[in-house]
């Protein structure tokens, strides 16, 4: 088990749960792809688990190494298990990757504003995910499917680099078999085993069966991909204020105090990470931000 | 299917949305119905490009052939897409192989016939060019994004 300093064992929940990490135990680890893995965590003390809204994130502390923001990728209707899907990119995510079942991490959160799943009721929903961007969108998909009758057509467009990089394969296959959900997966580069679509995820937008005038789009992925996805949606006739994106910026406090995550006049941790594209449109292309 | 019965299929195809009826009628004169079985090659790199296709059902893959390794798929196309613009640009040769990934039905337009009609009716030519310019723009944008390898690095 990773070393857990005494001073980190503060588990008061409430407001201090936002400031001091609470211990969670790793119950299961799934290796999704070569560089991505999913942790299933259980609270060390709170049997009710961690209630969250789709699109919210936690600050996850690997003791002795550091803290990183990670979106919650589990089912909001099953808060007893906390699920995070992580791609290894540096020291903290690397250390997280080396932990084993039974090890402990510190959790602060949940933080931020999530996907507008309630406001979107009555509309078609188009979910566009690229790479690891499917993780923050999965809770929204669980919610949409759990309340299926409240929405029109639901479309998931997912792009990955290669077939080996596709996340949540089994779940995607299950979703694809449903009659009330349209799932399209595409890869940038195919291989001999791949019979599906090849091309970037934005190429799926024009033929996608949703009504652009009565749809809400939820997008998460690399920023370039999100920009191109917004262009494709607007070309199809969607209103800019019906498009939502999830932003990432370096974070420290997670509660709007330190200014690390500032994005123009907004704090990504507090005002986001999910924003209406309308509120960001003047910032999105600014290189210095 | 007779030529006339192709008219509604052409009129419905997204590529031709908003096209004047008289222009659709001109297209019908160059059109015929085709079907490709799974695995069938529709054209190969270097072939003369004398046709283009409106896909009605199914899926086609554009491939680049690599010696000793076989074809690598660079793009897939499906219902609602249009395939092939080499018929517009001299010397009218194909740049990719095109294979049916699954049973595919399409309407094929004869490129020579279309070039003649476009030369006779500049308005039709302009409409066709405008639509292909959109397709080319979309493909160019997609290709640039593909080249960026956006998922390769971090977000
Ligand atoms: C709100 C929010 C939610 C997030 N959700 C997830 C998630 O669910 N799963 C997940 O894997 N990651 C997620 N991230 C990104 C994650 O926080 C970073 O990958 C992590 O902080 C990297 O820490 P590190 O110490 O491992 O690497 P670092 O040393 O911090 O970074 C290593 C390299 O990756 C780059 N990098 C770091 N963070 C990012 C980033 N966010 N985008 C692009 N490049 C980056 C750095 O520039 C550097 O080159 C989220 C970020 C935010 C802000
Ligand atoms: S992370 Fe401190 S203000 Fe957002």
């Amino acid at each position: 088990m990773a070393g857990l300093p005494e001073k980190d064992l503060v588990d008061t929940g409430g407001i201090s749960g936002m400031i001091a990490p609470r211990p969670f135990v790793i119950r299961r680890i799934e290796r999704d792809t070569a560089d991505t893995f999913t942790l299933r965590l259980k609270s060390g003390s709170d049997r009710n688990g961690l209630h969250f809204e789709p699109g919210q994130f936690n600050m996850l502390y690997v003791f002795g190494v550091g803290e990183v923001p990670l979106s919650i990728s589990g089912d909001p209707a099953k808060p007893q298990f906390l699920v995070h899907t992580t791609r290894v990119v540096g020291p903290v995510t690397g250390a997280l990757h080396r932990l084993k079942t039974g090890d402990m991490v510190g959790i602060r959160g949940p933080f931020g504003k999530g996907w507008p799943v309630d406001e979107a009721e009555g509309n078609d929903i188009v979910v566009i995910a690229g790479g690891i961007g499917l993780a923050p969108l999965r809770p929204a998909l669980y919610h949409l499917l759990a309340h299926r009758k409240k929405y029109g057509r639901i479309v998931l467009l997912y792009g990955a680099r290669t077939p080996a990089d596709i996340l949540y394969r089994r779940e995607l296959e299950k979703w694809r078999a449903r009659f009330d959900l349209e799932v399209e997966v595409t890869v940038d580069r195919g291989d001999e085993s791949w019979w599906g679509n090849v091309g970037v995820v934005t190429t799926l937008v024009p033929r996608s069966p949703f009504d652009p005038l009565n749809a809400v789009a939820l997008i998460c992925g690399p920023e370039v991909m999100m920009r191109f996805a917004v262009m494709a949606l607007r070309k199809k006739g969607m209103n800019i204020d019906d498009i939502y994106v999830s932003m990432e910026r370096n974070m420290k406090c997670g509660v709007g105090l330190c200014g690390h995550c500032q994005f123009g006049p907004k704090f990504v941790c507090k005002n986001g990470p999910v924003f209406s594209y309308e509120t960001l449109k003047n910032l999105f292309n600014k290189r210095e931000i | 299917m007779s030529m006339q019965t192709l008219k509604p299929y052409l009129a419905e195809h997204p590529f031709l949305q908003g096209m004047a009826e008289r222009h659709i009628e001109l297209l019908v004169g160059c059109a015929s119905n085709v079907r490709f079985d799974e695995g069938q090659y529709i054209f190969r790199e270097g072939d003369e490009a004398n046709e283009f296709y409106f896909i009605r059902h199914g899926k086609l893959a554009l491939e680049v052939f690599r010696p000793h390794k076989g074809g690598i798929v660079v793009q897939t196309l499906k219902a609602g897409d249009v395939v092939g613009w080499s018929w517009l640009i001299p010397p009218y040769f194909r740049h990719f192989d095109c294979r049916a990934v699954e049973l595919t039905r399409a309407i094929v337009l004869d490129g020579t016939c279309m070039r003649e009609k476009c030369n006779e009716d500049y308005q039709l030519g302009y409409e066709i060019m405008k639509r292909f310019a959109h397709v080319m723009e979309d493909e160019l944008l997609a290709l640039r994004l593909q080249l960026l390898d956006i998922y390769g690095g971090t977000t």
Side-chain angles (χ1 to χ4, degrees):
Chain A
M1 194 194 286
L4 181 64
E6 276 311 87
K7 67 177 168 61
D8 289 320
L9 275 172
V10 185
D11 182 17
T12 45
I15 189 70
S16 64
M18 303 289 158
I19 306 290
R22 287 175 281 164
F24 274 67
V25 183
I26 299 175
R27 281 299 177 83
R28 207 167 75 199
I29 305 173
E30 280 170 44
R31 307 283 167 199
D32 300 296
T33 70
D35 62 4
T36 305
F37 60 98
T38 297
L39 298 180
R40 216 164 130 99
L41 304 146
K42 209 155 166 52
S43 168
S45 55
D46 188 351
R47 268 195 293 142
N48 294 326
L50 189 133
H51 290 265
F52 69 98
E53 284 164 25
Q56 283 193 303
F57 69 96
N58 283 321
M59 294 300 290
L60 201 141
Y61 184 33
V62 183
F63 298 108
V65 184
E67 201 180 36
V68 284
L70 291 175
S71 300
I72 306 170
S73 66
D75 187 343
K78 295 175 185 161
Q80 63 279 22
F81 281 105
L82 173 63
V83 182
H84 281 292
T85 301
T86 309
R87 177 159 180 240
V88 180
V89 296
V92 182
T93 50
L96 198 56
H97 184 61
R98 288 189 292 276
L99 295 182
K100 299 188 180 59
T101 310
D103 283 351
M104 219 174 253
V105 294
I107 296 283
R108 290 194 296 127
F111 295 126
K113 229 169 105 261
W115 302 108
V117 285
D118 294 330
E119 295 91 312
E121 283 178 10
N123 289 283
D124 286 359
I125 309 287
V126 52
V127 175
I128 307 181
I132 184 80
L134 185 56
L137 281 163
R138 189 166 68 162
L141 283 158
Y142 286 136
H143 178 95
L144 298 173
L145 295 175
H147 302 86
R148 185 64 192 87
K149 288 203 177 82
K150 294 185 176 171
Y151 301 94
R153 276 166 290 189
I154 303 179
V155 177
L156 166 62
L157 310 178
Y158 176 47
R161 187 189 197 198
T162 70
D165 295 309
I166 293 172
L167 272 187
Y168 312 140
R169 252 177 191 266
R170 256 177 296 143
E171 213 153 22
L172 284 170
E173 274 160 26
K174 241 194 285 168
W175 286 340
R176 192 179 241 161
R178 290 177 65 130
F179 293 109
D180 58 357
L181 173 67
E182 188 83 22
V183 178
E184 287 276 10
V185 179
T186 185
V187 295
D188 281 6
R189 249 172 281 159
D191 61 23
E192 291 73 19
S193 69
W194 180 249
W195 286 79
N197 298 309
V198 178
V200 289
V201 67
T202 51
T203 58
L204 299 175
V205 172
R207 312 269 167 271
S208 188
F210 63 88
D211 174 2
L213 296 179
N214 291 296
V216 171
L218 316 179
I219 317 177
C220 188
E223 266 182 48
V224 189
M225 178 223 109
M226 294 202 285
R227 286 208 318 261
F228 277 68
V230 171
M231 278 190 251
L233 290 168
R234 297 192 68 190
K235 205 165 173 182
K236 198 173 159 91
M238 264 194 85
N239 284 323
I240 194 165
D241 46 2
D242 292 328
I243 302 174
Y244 292 82
V245 295
S246 183
M247 296 301 295
E248 287 190 8
R249 283 295 178 270
N250 284 337
M251 287 186 183
K252 231 177 177 84
C253 70
V255 288
L257 295 174
C258 71
H260 258 78
C261 66
Q262 193 162 358
F263 184 50
K266 310 272 179 199
F267 287 155
V268 173
C269 67
K270 203 172 89 178
N271 308 118
V274 174
F275 293 92
S276 140
Y277 191 76
E278 169 70 34
T279 63
L280 292 188
K281 66 173 191 272
N282 297 325
L283 301 172
F284 220 61
N285 287 319
K286 291 215 174 114
R287 279 139 222 234
E288 67 274 18
I289 289 175
Chain B
M1 211 185 289
S2 79
M3 270 196 190
Q4 262 321 305
T5 56
L6 291 178
K7 192 175 152 190
Y9 291 106
L10 282 174
E12 264 173 28
H13 197 280
F15 181 82
L16 298 174
Q17 288 278 298
M19 188 102 154
E21 200 176 336
R22 67 184 179 87
H23 286 150
I24 303 268
E25 306 231 323
L26 289 174
L27 259 68
V28 170
C30 300
S32 46
N33 202 31
V34 280
R35 154 203 161 124
F36 304 107
D37 292 323
E38 180 186 320
Q40 186 178 342
Y41 276 86
I42 291 102
F43 52 79
R44 301 265 192 185
E45 183 184 325
D47 284 355
E48 258 181 69
N50 273 329
E51 289 97 17
F52 65 101
Y53 304 86
F54 295 120
I55 307 179
R56 292 175 48 212
H57 303 287
K59 190 189 283 175
L60 301 180
L62 294 182
E63 296 179 347
V64 178
F65 180 76
R66 298 166 304 167
H68 314 300
K69 286 188 175 161
I72 178 138
V73 178
V74 290
Q75 190 187 1
T76 47
L77 297 148
K78 52 191 179 172
D81 286 329
V82 61
V83 185
W85 28 272
S86 304
W87 68 275
L88 264 174
I89 303 157
Y92 315 120
F93 285 123
R94 300 288 184 198
H95 299 100
F96 298 104
D97 294 346
C98 180
R99 176 175 55 85
V101 179
E102 57 194 44
L103 172 71
T104 300
R105 292 177 205 283
I107 295 173
V108 56
L109 275 97
D110 182 311
T112 320
C113 168
M114 278 302 296
R115 287 197 294 264
E116 275 168 21
K117 297 216 167 161
C118 291
N119 282 335
E120 283 163 16
D121 183 334
Y122 281 6
Q123 220 173 350
L124 171 69
Y126 179 60
E127 283 297 324
I128 292 287
M129 275 298 197
K130 254 197 326 195
R131 285 165 163 76
F132 271 105
H134 268 294
V135 173
M136 290 176 197
E137 187 204 27
D138 287 346
E139 290 191 8
L140 194 62
L141 282 175
L143 182 71
R144 285 186 179 154
L145 207 48
Q146 223 163 342
L147 282 176
L148 283 176
D149 194 17
I150 44 174
Y151 310 123
T154 49
T155 57

